[in-house]
Amino acid sequence: MTEKEKEKFWKKRKKMQEFLNFMAEEHGITTDKFFNGMDILKRFPLEQISHALTHYCFRNGPVEDMHASPNDQLSQDDMKTLNKFCNDKIFTFLTMMKENKVAELTDIIEFGLQCGSDWDKPEYREED
């Protein structure tokens, strides 16, 4: 391993540890709790989970209403493109979780913290 590769490794390792410390301090989520919550990943193939999440989070809501509207806000081709993109991204995220790619997930989460800061706070919606 070159010095540059070692430096990159230790930088990612430090970032991962900072994220785990943040989760523990701010939310009481220890690594044991974090990874125990992923048992669902052992019960279902990632493809099925990704497909279900795409429907649950994206397709079965306002996007479907826009697609089904009389003025064709979203065409069938638009829907295919959006569904594929969303499903691929969710699948990639879940695969990273399953493969314990904490540094990559940390990058995604940290980027997400910089965007959408003006969004409404998410709510638990059991009725969905």
Side-chain angles (χ1 to χ4, degrees):
M1 186 180 278
T2 68
E3 286 301 315
K4 190 174 182 177
E5 290 171 326
K6 285 180 187 177
E7 184 180 321
K8 186 177 179 181
F9 169 82
W10 286 111
K11 187 176 180 180
K12 283 195 171 205
R13 175 81 166 91
K14 182 181 177 191
K15 196 174 198 178
M16 174 183 70
Q17 190 59 55
E18 288 171 355
F19 174 72
L20 292 174
N21 290 344
F22 167 79
M23 293 300 286
E25 291 170 15
E26 295 293 318
H27 303 288
I29 299 173
T30 63
T31 52
D32 288 343
K33 285 184 183 178
F34 183 79
F35 292 112
N36 284 343
M38 294 186 350
D39 285 345
I40 196 77
L41 298 177
K42 296 174 186 172
R43 295 180 54 201
F44 299 96
L46 291 182
E47 294 85 356
Q48 289 179 355
I49 297 170
S50 177
H51 189 78
L53 283 173
T54 299
H55 275 275
Y56 182 74
C57 299
F58 171 73
R59 177 65 193 255
N60 296 342
V63 170
E64 181 59 29
D65 296 340
M66 293 164 75
H67 174 58
S69 74
N71 64 0
D72 288 329
Q73 289 176 297
L74 294 173
S75 70
Q76 190 63 27
D77 285 341
D78 291 337
M79 287 303 292
K80 285 181 181 180
T81 299
L82 291 169
N83 288 337
K84 175 75 171 134
F85 177 83
C86 197
N87 202 17
D88 288 351
K89 288 292 192 173
I90 290 171
F91 179 75
T92 300
F93 190 88
L94 293 172
T95 300
M96 287 178 184
M97 287 179 66
K98 188 171 185 177
E99 293 176 358
N100 199 22
K101 293 186 176 185
V102 177
E104 290 87 345
L105 290 167
T106 300
D107 288 343
I108 292 169
I109 293 168
E110 286 180 346
F111 179 77
L113 293 172
Q114 297 173 24
C115 305
S117 60
D118 59 338
W119 290 5
D120 293 338
K121 183 178 178 181
E123 299 175 19
Y124 179 77
R125 297 173 60 173
E126 193 169 320
E127 71 277 1
D128 291 343

